[in-house]
Every structure is written in C-alpha cells, then in structure tokens.
C-alpha cells in the first residue's frame, strides 16, 4: 500500500490572488473597440432619427438629447445618472497616442529620458544661456591686464544704449484754434488719477468733472489745495481750469488735481520759478499709500487688547 | 611601443567577435531581422558581415588625430582604477598616459559595432552625465536621428520599462556612454541596467573608470572638450555612413527585384 504523504493545508492571503485594481490604472480600450462603438453610434443615430420622424442626415446632438429625454423620461435629480447618448469620443477617456512608429522607434529624440517635453525645453533654452555666457566672457576679457591687445575687436560688438532719463518733461504749450494757449497734465495721489487742461483765457473758472469746484469740493481744505499752485506763482485770475478726476476719496482727488495743476503750470512759468515750485514741494508726487493690515493685530498699527495674564 | 606596459592581460580581451556580437544582440525580432526566408532581405543583412571593415571606418581617424585631441591624457595616479592598468602606458609627472594603440584598436571595434547596429535599424542611446557636454551630445544624437539621455537617470528606466513608459515600448539596442561616471564619481547606473537587460554597451573609459561591465570599452580621455567633440564627430559619421549604406542597399534591392 502506498504510504500517504502527510497533507498540509497551505493558507494564502486573499490579497495574493485578488487583482490589484489600483495598479492597473484607468481602464484602457483598444482602438478597434472604440471604432466599433463609433459605428454603432452612427447607426443608432439614424434609427433614432427615423423613429422620431426626422431627417437622418441633419440630426444634430441637440436633437438626439431631446429625443432621448422624450423617449426615456427620467425623474432622477442627478443629471449624470440619466440615460445619455453621446459620441464615443466624449464617453470613453482619451488614450495617450502611441509615442513610436511602426518599427518601434520613438518619435522624440529625448523619449528615453522619461520627461521629453521638459528636457527638450531645457535643451532649447541652453542655447540662449550660451549667449549670456559669451557676453560674460567678453567682459571678463576686457577687465584683465593686457586687454588692450583684443580691445578693439571686442568693442566692435558693443552698442551704445541710449540713456533714459527719469526726469519729468515739461508739457508742451499748445494753441487753440482761437489762439488761446493751453497745456495738459496728469497727476496721481493714492489711487486717484486726475487730468487737467489749463487755458490762458483770463478768467478764474474751475470746472471739475463737469461741475463747479464749489459744488464738487464743499470742504474748504480741498479748494485751498486747488488754489495753492496758482497762488504760489501769483497767476490767480489768469487761467481757466478744466479737470477730470476719478478714484479714491475727496482729499486724495484734491491732491491729485493739485499735482496736475502744478505740472501744467510748468509750461507757462520761467526756469527760476520752476526751481522755486520744486523747493515748495508742488512738483513732488506724494508717495504715501495705505499701510497694510498685519496678522495678529487689529489694523496696521492698532494691537489687540493687552492682558497681563 | 607596448614594452613598458603591463601586458598579458590584453589576451583576455575579446578577439574579433563582430559576427557573434551582432547576432547575440538584444533579443527582440523586428521587421529588419525577419524570419521569412526572403533571399534579398537576408542578403542585405548578411553581406556586410562578410568583410572585417565593411564601412571603412579606419579612414575616419588616425593615431595622430587621437594624440592631437589629447585622448591619451588620463587622470592623476591617485585616481587610477586597478582594472584600467592594462590600458595605460604608465604615468608621466603623476598623470596617467593611455596607450593610444590599444585605444585605436578598441575604437575601431566599437565604431564597427555601432555601424552594424545602425545598419540594421537599431535604436542607439547616447548617455553621459557630464553637464559640460550634455548639450553637445544631445545635438549629436538629434543630428544622427538617434536618442540621447544626458539627464538624471531614473531608477527603472531600462529594468522597469513597461511601467516607466508604455507596455509595448522598444528598448535601445545599443547604449553609448560618453562618460561612464555620474556626477558623484560612481559608475553610471545605466551600465549595470544594460548588462541586466542584455543590451550591449560601448563606453569611453577614463583612467578612473571601471571597464568590466562594458561590452566594448574604449580607453580614452572624457574630460577635454576637444576629445569629446572628436568622439561625437566620429560616432555621428559612423551612424550616418551606416544608414546611408542601408538606404543604398535597399534601393539596389528594389532595382534588382523589379528588373
């Protein structure tokens, strides 16, 4: 009699024979499957059109949606759970195109790095960096002793950049068809932007945003701000001011207008006067802006109540 | 000339093994190595194997060119790798000098192998981790129509290819290492991975590198720009020659088949 070999039951965890669904990634469909689905969709579209009594040739997606909603009325609230008939391209997820040709050779020369588009970008940028390196080397060459040997060769490649001055230019004096001289200037304060036209007509009217300055600025301080440049130069009743201003509050608008008036005045005034105006602070734009609120505090400076314990 | 060198180990190196090496290549059959007994096709594939230097690559470089490109200059005596001693003449003022006659032999074999791989439509991957020459190597690869990898080498690129890329990817049939060390002066991971995946490698080994796992080592300098430009030029010329030859042969076959 054949001796029975001792039987041993082997226990294996179920995780070993279960399919690892997470590692598989999104479900992949073959190209033939998708083509078959597209065919079936086209055929089904024609059947649907015949059913509804419409022309199969001119049956659009909206007609399909309407027909399905009519034939299969659904009371479900979730729109995605309702019956839907759409082109397979919209339903099945897009597959990434195959990156190589029929023989298996990849299209992109950096395919084997893994990140082909990123590294090809770096490759293209490298050529620009080479240019900057060349400029550095040329300047280094000029800084060495005995640079005079090659200096003229290198200086051939140097170009003089035009110096851009940050000085404010005096606005040009323009003339009306009537022969009246006027100048235009802008000014800013906080977030208020103002634009002024100064006319040499001989009256002392001031119009802002279409209204008289008395109506626009009820507060005396703001009107004084408007008058100050003219008072300083001594040409109070000579000019006609027409201004437009927007943004911020009344005080900032007045400040913006003042700056604009001073700038416009530059074209009517002599050099010495310009210097005096600058020293009076009429031509400097006020740099003060609203300070930000900090965390852990009530406002910009105000702190929360301090408790000893 | 080889009198001063530690000889004897040279015999360990392979003899002319071009024929066997080409056939024991990466074992994937594609349309070029077709199983169908088409006499024209097999003739195209086998004819170059009948001659030792079918692509006439010995014309591309001379010993003098190698010397002028400073290929014979190695690293300092302290950096020397034990396994590189057979390839060195010795040291002069502490710098190791590589034997250019051996280099010329090895380079000839390596270029011949590359040419045959390119002739059969194989994928060639240029690898180097030197930042100085990365751009040069990528440009060379692009001009040949082959592939380059001069960036950080991710772990499973060759060994885990079906997951790193897509399932049906084709791996390179030859990997050219223009510098076998990575930026931390350790051997490039690609050499070991290529050996695991049965992919033949050609590598420029300097006097501080380990030539053991490389199929066709070429002892030479990998630090000077002149030397690197020369290598790039040589490999580009071989690959272009091989591909042109292949196109010629296909045309001839097309003409003779139609006639």
């Amino acid at each position: 009699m054949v001796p029975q070999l001792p039987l041993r039951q082997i226990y294996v965890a179920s995780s070993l024979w279960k399919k690892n669904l997470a590692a598989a990634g999104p479900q992949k469909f073959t190209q033939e499957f998708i083509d078959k689905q597209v065919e079936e969709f086209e055929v089904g579209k024609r059947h649907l059109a015949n059913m509804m009594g419409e022309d199969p040739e001119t049956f659009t997606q909206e007609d399909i949606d309407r027909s399905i909603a009519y034939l299969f009325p659904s009371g479900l609230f979730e729109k995605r759970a309702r019956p839907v008939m759409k082109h397979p391209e919209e339903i099945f997820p897009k597959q990434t195109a195959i990156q190589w040709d029929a023989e298996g050779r990849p299209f992109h020369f950096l395919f084997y790095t893994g990140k082909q588009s990123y590294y090809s970008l770096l490759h293209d940028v490298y050529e620009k960096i080479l240019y900057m390196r060349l400029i550095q080397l040329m300047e280094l060459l000029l800084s060495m002793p005995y640079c005079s040997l090659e200096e003229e060769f290198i200086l051939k490649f140097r170009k003089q950049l035009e110096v851009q001055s940050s000085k404010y230019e005096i606005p040009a004096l323009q003339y009306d068809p009537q022969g009246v001289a006027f100048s235009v200037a802008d000014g800013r304060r906080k977030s208020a932007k103002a634009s002024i036209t100064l006319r040499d007509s001989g009256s002392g009217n001031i119009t802002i945003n279409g209204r008289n300055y008395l109506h626009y600025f009820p507060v005396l301080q703001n009107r004084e701000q408007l008058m100050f440049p003219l008072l300083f130069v001594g040409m109070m009743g000579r000019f006609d001011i027409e201004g437009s201003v927007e943004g911020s509050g009344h005080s900032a608008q007045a400040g913006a207008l003042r700056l604009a008036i001073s700038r416009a005045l530059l074209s009517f005034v002599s050099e010495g006067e310009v210097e005096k105006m600058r020293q009076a602070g009429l031509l400097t734009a006020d740099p003060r802006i609203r300070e930000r609120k900090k965390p852990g505090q009530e406002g910009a400076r105000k702190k929360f109540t301090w408790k000893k314990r | 000339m080889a009198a001063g060198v530690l000889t004897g180990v040279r015999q360990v190196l392979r003899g002319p093994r071009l024929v066997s090496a080409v056939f024991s290549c990466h074992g994937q059959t594609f349309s070029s190595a077709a199983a169908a007994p088409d006499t024209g096709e097999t003739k195209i594939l086998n004819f170059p194997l009948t001659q030792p230097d079918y692509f006439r690559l010995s014309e591309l470089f001379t010993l003098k060119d190698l010397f002028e490109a400073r290929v014979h200059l190695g690293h300092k005596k302290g950096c020397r790798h034990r396994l590189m001693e057979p390839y060195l003449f010795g040291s002069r003022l502490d710098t190791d000098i590589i034997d250019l006659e051996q280099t010329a032999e090895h380079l000839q074999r390596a270029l011949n192998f590359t040419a045959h791989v390119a002739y059969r439509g194989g994928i060639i991957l240029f690898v180097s981790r030197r930042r100085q020459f990365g751009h040069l190597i990528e440009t060379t690869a692009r001009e040949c129509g082959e592939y380059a990898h001069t960036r950080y080498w991710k772990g499973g690129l060759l060994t885990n290819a079906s997951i790193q890329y897509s399932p049906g990817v084709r791996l390179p049939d030859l990997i050219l290492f223009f510098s076998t060390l990575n930026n931390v002066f350790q051997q490039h991971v690609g050499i070991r991975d290529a050996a695991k995946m049965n992919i033949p490698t050609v590598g420029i080994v300097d006097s501080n590198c380990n030539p053991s796992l490389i199929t066709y080592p070429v002892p030479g300098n990998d630090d000077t720009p002149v030397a690197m430009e020369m290598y790039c030029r040589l490999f580009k010329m071989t690959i272009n020659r091989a591909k042109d030859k292949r196109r010629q042969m296909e045309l001839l076959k097309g003409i003779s088949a139609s006639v």
Side-chain angles (χ1 to χ4, degrees):
Chain A
M1 194 160 132
V2 177
Q4 287 281 8
L5 288 165
L7 287 173
R8 226 175 2 140
Q9 270 186 307
I10 300 174
Y11 295 95
V12 167
S14 62
S15 56
L16 280 180
W17 39 263
K18 262 204 200 140
K19 259 200 310 194
N20 190 355
L21 296 169
Q27 197 183 3
K28 294 195 184 38
F29 303 97
T30 52
Q31 193 54 37
E32 304 117 28
F33 177 77
I34 300 225
D35 292 334
K36 206 160 66 74
Q37 294 293 316
V38 173
E39 260 182 62
E40 287 183 8
F41 173 77
E42 296 298 327
V43 166
K45 202 167 84 158
R46 299 187 77 89
H47 278 309
L48 191 60
N50 283 329
M51 264 194 270
M52 300 299 289
E54 305 257 358
D55 180 19
E57 304 298 322
T58 58
F59 205 54
T60 59
Q61 187 58 45
E62 290 150 7
D63 297 328
I64 298 180
D65 294 332
R66 262 189 304 112
S67 333
I68 296 287
Y70 171 73
L71 290 170
F72 303 99
S74 154
L76 298 172
F77 289 131
E78 177 69 55
K79 295 267 188 331
R80 286 179 291 183
R82 293 185 185 178
V84 90
M85 180 166 166
K86 282 204 162 25
H87 192 85
E89 301 257 289
E90 290 164 45
I91 300 184
F92 294 103
K94 278 261 170 64
Q95 317 281 326
T96 44
I98 300 283
Q99 307 255 4
W100 47 81
D101 58 15
E103 288 201 355
R105 295 187 71 107
F107 294 122
H108 200 272
F109 78 109
L110 288 176
F111 171 75
Y112 287 104
T113 54
K115 305 181 210 171
Q116 63 183 45
S117 10
Y118 172 58
Y119 287 135
S120 80
L121 187 70
L122 288 187
H123 177 77
D124 295 329
V125 164
Y126 187 83
E127 279 149 13
K128 301 224 167 64
I129 293 178
L130 282 182
Y131 173 69
M132 280 158 46
R133 177 82 181 123
L134 176 69
I135 303 288
Q136 269 179 349
L137 287 173
M138 295 226 271
E139 307 215 330
L140 179 68
L141 211 60
L142 282 182
S143 66
M144 292 186 165
Y146 293 103
C147 66
S148 47
L149 296 170
E150 296 297 328
E151 204 173 327
E152 56 171 273
F153 172 72
I154 295 181
L155 287 179
K156 262 196 296 186
F157 300 101
R158 259 208 190 159
K159 204 166 67 159
Q160 189 74 14
L161 281 176
E162 278 128 41
V163 179
Q164 284 166 346
S165 53
S166 52
K167 257 177 47 143
Y168 181 75
E169 291 167 6
I170 300 174
L173 197 61
Q174 298 157 61
Y175 285 93
D176 238 355
Q178 277 83 38
V180 176
F182 72 97
S183 71
V184 183
D186 293 330
R188 273 198 281 202
R189 168 95 211 276
K190 273 200 203 169
S191 64
K193 293 198 237 291
S195 175
I196 285 280
T197 318
L198 215 64
R199 263 175 251 275
D200 196 0
S201 47
S203 55
N205 305 336
I206 305 185
T207 319
I208 302 178
N209 282 357
R211 288 146 72 181
N212 197 3
Y213 72 119
L214 211 48
H215 295 302
Y216 198 77
F217 287 128
V219 182
L220 175 67
Q221 184 193 343
N222 299 337
R223 292 200 296 272
E224 277 186 344
Q225 288 285 302
L226 286 189
M227 285 193 317
F228 178 46
L230 302 170
L231 188 63
F232 186 83
V233 189
M235 302 175 180
M236 279 292 292
R238 185 171 147 190
F239 293 104
D240 213 10
I241 302 177
E242 188 196 316
S244 62
V245 67
E246 55 165 6
S248 215
H250 59 92
S251 228
Q253 283 182 350
L257 282 166
R258 182 182 111 166
L259 181 59
I261 293 175
S262 329
R263 283 181 177 168
L265 269 182
L266 289 176
S267 43
F268 289 99
V269 124
S270 62
E271 276 292 321
E273 289 285 317
V274 166
E275 198 46 49
K276 276 203 219 160
M277 281 173 80
R278 192 183 315 250
Q279 299 214 335
L282 275 172
L283 301 178
T284 327
D286 203 331
R288 299 179 289 176
I289 52 165
R290 196 175 140 263
E291 197 176 314
R292 72 162 271 207
K293 176 197 174 310
K294 282 104 193 169
Q297 289 175 346
E298 186 71 58
R301 299 284 172 105
K302 174 167 176 164
K303 319 274 186 285
F304 292 127
T305 322
W306 181 73
K307 291 222 171 75
K308 194 154 180 183
R309 51 184 64 82
Chain B
M1 205 172 172
V5 174
L6 315 137
T7 50
V9 197
R10 274 178 76 181
Q11 271 55 313
V12 173
L13 292 175
R14 314 117 182 72
R17 273 211 242 112
L18 331 142
V19 177
S20 51
V22 171
F23 278 122
S24 69
C25 200
H26 187 50
Q28 281 197 357
T29 46
F30 278 91
S31 51
S32 50
D38 182 8
T39 41
E41 190 71 44
T42 41
K43 225 172 85 166
I44 288 187
L45 292 178
N46 291 339
F47 183 61
L49 301 174
T50 52
Q51 293 157 25
D53 194 7
Y54 182 69
F55 300 99
R56 293 199 309 267
L57 299 166
S58 35
E59 306 167 349
L60 288 180
F61 66 96
T62 57
L63 258 185
K64 191 156 188 291
D65 290 337
L66 291 180
F67 180 78
E68 277 166 5
R70 309 194 212 167
V71 165
H72 59 287
L73 298 171
H75 287 275
K76 293 282 182 180
K77 197 166 72 173
C79 299
R80 191 195 295 168
H81 192 100
R82 224 192 111 201
L83 295 171
M84 285 300 289
E85 281 163 15
Y87 301 118
L88 302 176
F89 255 145
S91 53
R92 162 90 173 138
L93 294 173
D94 243 11
T95 315
D96 286 334
I97 307 290
I98 298 172
D99 185 357
L100 281 185
E101 288 194 335
Q102 293 189 52
T103 303
E105 249 182 74
H106 284 85
L107 188 57
Q108 166 67 29
R109 270 187 233 147
L111 288 176
N112 199 10
F113 184 70
T114 326
H116 280 273
V117 170
Y119 180 84
R120 285 157 171 259
I123 296 183
I124 303 181
L125 186 62
F126 289 55
V127 174
S128 162
R129 201 52 184 103
R130 296 204 67 128
R131 278 191 63 179
Q132 244 179 322
F133 309 117
H135 184 82
L136 170 69
I137 289 167
E138 287 184 345
T139 332
T140 320
R142 194 161 51 172
E143 284 161 14
C144 296
E146 299 296 340
Y147 307 89
H149 184 109
T150 54
R151 310 284 176 171
Y152 175 72
W153 182 278
K154 263 167 105 172
L157 280 188
L158 292 181
T159 42
N160 203 11
S162 54
I163 299 184
Q164 290 279 352
Y165 311 111
S166 289
V169 77
R170 178 178 162 186
L171 287 180
D173 300 305
L174 170 65
I175 304 192
L176 295 181
F177 284 94
F178 280 82
S179 150
T180 47
L181 296 181
N182 61 17
N183 288 343
V184 219
F185 298 106
Q186 287 162 350
Q187 203 190 34
H188 201 287
V189 182
I191 300 177
R192 191 203 65 189
D193 283 354
K196 283 188 183 176
M197 302 300 289
N198 281 346
I199 301 175
T201 34
V202 166
I204 314 259
V205 279
D206 205 350
S207 59
N208 56 352
C209 308
N210 182 356
S212 35
L213 275 179
I214 304 169
T215 342
Y216 288 92
V218 176
N221 190 3
D222 62 3
D223 299 295
T224 358
V226 203
M228 287 306 256
E229 277 168 22
M230 203 197 73
Y231 297 135
C232 286
R233 207 183 39 192
L234 285 175
F235 279 104
K236 187 165 80 161
M237 292 207 295
T238 30
I239 294 176
N240 285 335
R241 260 198 202 185
K243 289 187 173 172
D244 291 336
K245 204 68 181 208
R246 178 59 186 259
R247 258 174 268 150
Q248 243 180 28
M249 295 291 266
E250 304 249 295
L251 276 175
L252 282 175
K253 172 191 158 213
I255 293 171
S256 62
S258 63
V259 156

